[in-house]
Amino acid sequence: MRFVIDETSWRFDGLETDQCIEFLESMLDQLDIALDQGHSTCYSDELFNTIVYQDKCFYDLYASDSPLYISRDIQERIASIFYGLSKWQDISSDWPSSFEIQVDGEPKEVAASVAWAHVQSFQNPPHHIACVVFSGGRRSGRFDVTVDMKKIPIWFVAGSQSYVDFFRWLIVEKTKNPAEMEEFAPSAFPALDFVGGAFNGIKNMSKPYLELVGPLVRHLGAMSDHGKRIFLGPRTQVAAEFGALGVDVSDENGKTKGNSEARKERTIEIDGREIVFWWHSKLERHLDRIHFNPDKIASG
């Protein structure tokens, strides 16, 4: 289990109907992405009985005369997604000693699913669980959560940026080797395609994995977040654009490109086509490079 849905964030009062539907669809989009990437998600059996708008629970908003109407299309999306999810009350796992939580020093509140995520993450740190939240009801990001005097960081995910930030944090804080990093990489760096076996190259770098993982995540994160925008602009500005992000990126010089042995070393066959990886970022000036090819960005 990687995610649990925070039912206490489903608070629709004070939102315009269009804004509420936008937040709801964004949350459903994020759940679809997580499930498509193989990340198990659960929810509380109290979710659909919780008051979310005025004096109404979520299913009450299905009525055609509801002041905040949930359309048929969204009803069907909800049914499709939640049909395949487990309720955490039915999972064999530790239960919280208390449902009362405190987030980031704010007043205490009762939030059963957040408390459940807290106890799972406290008992088994490598399998840290994040909370999927409705944007209008809770802030997204990483915050210290306290339950029964025990304080640990918990991620609240709403939208793509907090989603990738969670997985980048998992890589830096929880992984111990390149194979574990590779497992999370598609979720952490969604705009990058990794060649099979690429992460084995980390073993040939100059430092142990735990010293490299932070810089690796920073470089790959910059490529994933900004690479498309930068490389669709003038190539003469690429180094400066990445430099502003703290990442040293360059193309090979003409002498290297004219060397047949260098070309061979940097060429990989992908889907029957030879791709040359001239571009690279440098974790250090003369060491530890990440080779990449940006030429197919324009075509998607």
mmCIF file with all atom_site columns, all heavy atoms in Angstrom, residues 26 32 41 71 85 99 160 203 279 286 300:
data_model
loop_
_atom_site.group_PDB
_atom_site.id
_atom_site.type_symbol
_atom_site.label_atom_id
_atom_site.label_alt_id
_atom_site.label_comp_id
_atom_site.label_asym_id
_atom_site.label_entity_id
_atom_site.label_seq_id
_atom_site.pdbx_PDB_ins_code
_atom_site.Cartn_x
_atom_site.Cartn_y
_atom_site.Cartn_z
_atom_site.occupancy
_atom_site.B_iso_or_equiv
_atom_site.pdbx_formal_charge
_atom_site.auth_seq_id
_atom_site.auth_comp_id
_atom_site.auth_asym_id
_atom_site.auth_atom_id
_atom_site.pdbx_PDB_model_num
ATOM 1  N N   . SER A 1 26  ? -9.309  16.545 -10.485 1.00 0.00 ? 26  SER A N   1
ATOM 2  C CA  . SER A 1 26  ? -7.858  16.506 -10.335 1.00 0.00 ? 26  SER A CA  1
ATOM 3  C C   . SER A 1 26  ? -7.443  15.376 -9.400  1.00 0.00 ? 26  SER A C   1
ATOM 4  O O   . SER A 1 26  ? -6.463  14.661 -9.668  1.00 0.00 ? 26  SER A O   1
ATOM 5  C CB  . SER A 1 26  ? -7.354  17.848 -9.798  1.00 0.00 ? 26  SER A CB  1
ATOM 6  O OG  . SER A 1 26  ? -5.963  17.796 -9.543  1.00 0.00 ? 26  SER A OG  1
ATOM 7  N N   . ASP A 1 32  ? -5.961  7.795  -10.691 1.00 0.00 ? 32  ASP A N   1
ATOM 8  C CA  . ASP A 1 32  ? -5.790  6.989  -11.909 1.00 0.00 ? 32  ASP A CA  1
ATOM 9  C C   . ASP A 1 32  ? -4.310  6.791  -12.226 1.00 0.00 ? 32  ASP A C   1
ATOM 10 O O   . ASP A 1 32  ? -3.876  5.676  -12.561 1.00 0.00 ? 32  ASP A O   1
ATOM 11 C CB  . ASP A 1 32  ? -6.474  7.669  -13.101 1.00 0.00 ? 32  ASP A CB  1
ATOM 12 C CG  . ASP A 1 32  ? -7.948  7.312  -13.215 1.00 0.00 ? 32  ASP A CG  1
ATOM 13 O OD1 . ASP A 1 32  ? -8.330  6.227  -12.728 1.00 0.00 ? 32  ASP A OD1 1
ATOM 14 O OD2 . ASP A 1 32  ? -8.702  8.113  -13.792 1.00 0.00 ? 32  ASP A OD2 1
ATOM 15 N N   . THR A 1 41  ? -3.755  1.696  -3.416  1.00 0.00 ? 41  THR A N   1
ATOM 16 C CA  . THR A 1 41  ? -4.390  2.800  -2.697  1.00 0.00 ? 41  THR A CA  1
ATOM 17 C C   . THR A 1 41  ? -5.586  2.254  -1.920  1.00 0.00 ? 41  THR A C   1
ATOM 18 O O   . THR A 1 41  ? -6.266  1.336  -2.375  1.00 0.00 ? 41  THR A O   1
ATOM 19 C CB  . THR A 1 41  ? -4.860  3.882  -3.690  1.00 0.00 ? 41  THR A CB  1
ATOM 20 O OG1 . THR A 1 41  ? -3.736  4.341  -4.445  1.00 0.00 ? 41  THR A OG1 1
ATOM 21 C CG2 . THR A 1 41  ? -5.494  5.057  -2.974  1.00 0.00 ? 41  THR A CG2 1
ATOM 22 N N   . SER A 1 71  ? -21.980 15.176 -11.357 1.00 0.00 ? 71  SER A N   1
ATOM 23 C CA  . SER A 1 71  ? -22.519 14.709 -12.639 1.00 0.00 ? 71  SER A CA  1
ATOM 24 C C   . SER A 1 71  ? -22.413 13.193 -12.778 1.00 0.00 ? 71  SER A C   1
ATOM 25 O O   . SER A 1 71  ? -21.639 12.529 -12.088 1.00 0.00 ? 71  SER A O   1
ATOM 26 C CB  . SER A 1 71  ? -21.770 15.372 -13.792 1.00 0.00 ? 71  SER A CB  1
ATOM 27 O OG  . SER A 1 71  ? -20.447 14.858 -13.871 1.00 0.00 ? 71  SER A OG  1
ATOM 28 N N   . LEU A 1 85  ? -10.520 -0.548 -5.068  1.00 0.00 ? 85  LEU A N   1
ATOM 29 C CA  . LEU A 1 85  ? -9.725  -0.158 -3.902  1.00 0.00 ? 85  LEU A CA  1
ATOM 30 C C   . LEU A 1 85  ? -10.140 -0.932 -2.656  1.00 0.00 ? 85  LEU A C   1
ATOM 31 O O   . LEU A 1 85  ? -11.293 -1.341 -2.505  1.00 0.00 ? 85  LEU A O   1
ATOM 32 C CB  . LEU A 1 85  ? -9.876  1.342  -3.625  1.00 0.00 ? 85  LEU A CB  1
ATOM 33 C CG  . LEU A 1 85  ? -9.497  2.306  -4.752  1.00 0.00 ? 85  LEU A CG  1
ATOM 34 C CD1 . LEU A 1 85  ? -9.543  3.743  -4.229  1.00 0.00 ? 85  LEU A CD1 1
ATOM 35 C CD2 . LEU A 1 85  ? -8.121  1.984  -5.312  1.00 0.00 ? 85  LEU A CD2 1
ATOM 36 N N   . PHE A 1 99  ? -7.110  8.357  16.844  1.00 0.00 ? 99  PHE A N   1
ATOM 37 C CA  . PHE A 1 99  ? -7.444  8.990  15.570  1.00 0.00 ? 99  PHE A CA  1
ATOM 38 C C   . PHE A 1 99  ? -7.226  10.503 15.625  1.00 0.00 ? 99  PHE A C   1
ATOM 39 O O   . PHE A 1 99  ? -7.470  11.205 14.651  1.00 0.00 ? 99  PHE A O   1
ATOM 40 C CB  . PHE A 1 99  ? -8.890  8.710  15.179  1.00 0.00 ? 99  PHE A CB  1
ATOM 41 C CG  . PHE A 1 99  ? -9.151  7.272  14.792  1.00 0.00 ? 99  PHE A CG  1
ATOM 42 C CD1 . PHE A 1 99  ? -10.430 6.737  14.890  1.00 0.00 ? 99  PHE A CD1 1
ATOM 43 C CD2 . PHE A 1 99  ? -8.126  6.469  14.316  1.00 0.00 ? 99  PHE A CD2 1
ATOM 44 C CE1 . PHE A 1 99  ? -10.677 5.419  14.520  1.00 0.00 ? 99  PHE A CE1 1
ATOM 45 C CE2 . PHE A 1 99  ? -8.359  5.152  13.950  1.00 0.00 ? 99  PHE A CE2 1
ATOM 46 C CZ  . PHE A 1 99  ? -9.641  4.625  14.054  1.00 0.00 ? 99  PHE A CZ  1
ATOM 47 N N   . SER A 1 160 ? -0.029  16.950 -9.529  1.00 0.00 ? 160 SER A N   1
ATOM 48 C CA  . SER A 1 160 ? 1.158   16.277 -10.056 1.00 0.00 ? 160 SER A CA  1
ATOM 49 C C   . SER A 1 160 ? 2.443   16.646 -9.329  1.00 0.00 ? 160 SER A C   1
ATOM 50 O O   . SER A 1 160 ? 3.308   15.796 -9.135  1.00 0.00 ? 160 SER A O   1
ATOM 51 C CB  . SER A 1 160 ? 1.300   16.580 -11.551 1.00 0.00 ? 160 SER A CB  1
ATOM 52 O OG  . SER A 1 160 ? 1.397   17.981 -11.776 1.00 0.00 ? 160 SER A OG  1
ATOM 53 N N   . LYS A 1 203 ? 26.361  2.220  -10.393 1.00 0.00 ? 203 LYS A N   1
ATOM 54 C CA  . LYS A 1 203 ? 27.367  1.420  -9.684  1.00 0.00 ? 203 LYS A CA  1
ATOM 55 C C   . LYS A 1 203 ? 28.782  1.745  -10.162 1.00 0.00 ? 203 LYS A C   1
ATOM 56 O O   . LYS A 1 203 ? 29.752  1.460  -9.446  1.00 0.00 ? 203 LYS A O   1
ATOM 57 C CB  . LYS A 1 203 ? 27.074  -0.068 -9.890  1.00 0.00 ? 203 LYS A CB  1
ATOM 58 C CG  . LYS A 1 203 ? 25.711  -0.500 -9.369  1.00 0.00 ? 203 LYS A CG  1
ATOM 59 C CD  . LYS A 1 203 ? 25.394  -1.948 -9.758  1.00 0.00 ? 203 LYS A CD  1
ATOM 60 C CE  . LYS A 1 203 ? 23.995  -2.337 -9.338  1.00 0.00 ? 203 LYS A CE  1
ATOM 61 N NZ  . LYS A 1 203 ? 23.629  -3.708 -9.778  1.00 0.00 ? 203 LYS A NZ  1
ATOM 62 N N   . TRP A 1 279 ? 24.308  14.333 -25.330 1.00 0.00 ? 279 TRP A N   1
ATOM 63 C CA  . TRP A 1 279 ? 24.061  15.264 -24.223 1.00 0.00 ? 279 TRP A CA  1
ATOM 64 C C   . TRP A 1 279 ? 24.280  14.568 -22.879 1.00 0.00 ? 279 TRP A C   1
ATOM 65 O O   . TRP A 1 279 ? 24.043  13.372 -22.731 1.00 0.00 ? 279 TRP A O   1
ATOM 66 C CB  . TRP A 1 279 ? 22.644  15.802 -24.288 1.00 0.00 ? 279 TRP A CB  1
ATOM 67 C CG  . TRP A 1 279 ? 22.442  16.832 -25.359 1.00 0.00 ? 279 TRP A CG  1
ATOM 68 C CD1 . TRP A 1 279 ? 22.073  16.616 -26.650 1.00 0.00 ? 279 TRP A CD1 1
ATOM 69 C CD2 . TRP A 1 279 ? 22.620  18.236 -25.224 1.00 0.00 ? 279 TRP A CD2 1
ATOM 70 N NE1 . TRP A 1 279 ? 21.999  17.805 -27.340 1.00 0.00 ? 279 TRP A NE1 1
ATOM 71 C CE2 . TRP A 1 279 ? 22.328  18.822 -26.486 1.00 0.00 ? 279 TRP A CE2 1
ATOM 72 C CE3 . TRP A 1 279 ? 22.987  19.071 -24.151 1.00 0.00 ? 279 TRP A CE3 1
ATOM 73 C CZ2 . TRP A 1 279 ? 22.399  20.200 -26.695 1.00 0.00 ? 279 TRP A CZ2 1
ATOM 74 C CZ3 . TRP A 1 279 ? 23.052  20.446 -24.377 1.00 0.00 ? 279 TRP A CZ3 1
ATOM 75 C CH2 . TRP A 1 279 ? 22.770  20.996 -25.640 1.00 0.00 ? 279 TRP A CH2 1
ATOM 76 N N   . HIS A 1 286 ? 34.172  16.696 -13.828 1.00 0.00 ? 286 HIS A N   1
ATOM 77 C CA  . HIS A 1 286 ? 34.799  15.711 -14.709 1.00 0.00 ? 286 HIS A CA  1
ATOM 78 C C   . HIS A 1 286 ? 34.400  14.271 -14.361 1.00 0.00 ? 286 HIS A C   1
ATOM 79 O O   . HIS A 1 286 ? 35.069  13.333 -14.793 1.00 0.00 ? 286 HIS A O   1
ATOM 80 C CB  . HIS A 1 286 ? 36.326  15.858 -14.649 1.00 0.00 ? 286 HIS A CB  1
ATOM 81 C CG  . HIS A 1 286 ? 36.811  17.205 -15.063 1.00 0.00 ? 286 HIS A CG  1
ATOM 82 N ND1 . HIS A 1 286 ? 36.688  17.673 -16.356 1.00 0.00 ? 286 HIS A ND1 1
ATOM 83 C CD2 . HIS A 1 286 ? 37.400  18.207 -14.354 1.00 0.00 ? 286 HIS A CD2 1
ATOM 84 C CE1 . HIS A 1 286 ? 37.190  18.903 -16.435 1.00 0.00 ? 286 HIS A CE1 1
ATOM 85 N NE2 . HIS A 1 286 ? 37.632  19.251 -15.234 1.00 0.00 ? 286 HIS A NE2 1
ATOM 86 N N   . GLY A 1 300 ? 6.950   14.314 -29.108 1.00 0.00 ? 300 GLY A N   1
ATOM 87 C CA  . GLY A 1 300 ? 6.258   13.722 -27.950 1.00 0.00 ? 300 GLY A CA  1
ATOM 88 C C   . GLY A 1 300 ? 6.977   12.547 -27.344 1.00 0.00 ? 300 GLY A C   1
ATOM 89 O O   . GLY A 1 300 ? 6.417   11.895 -26.464 1.00 0.00 ? 300 GLY A O   1
#
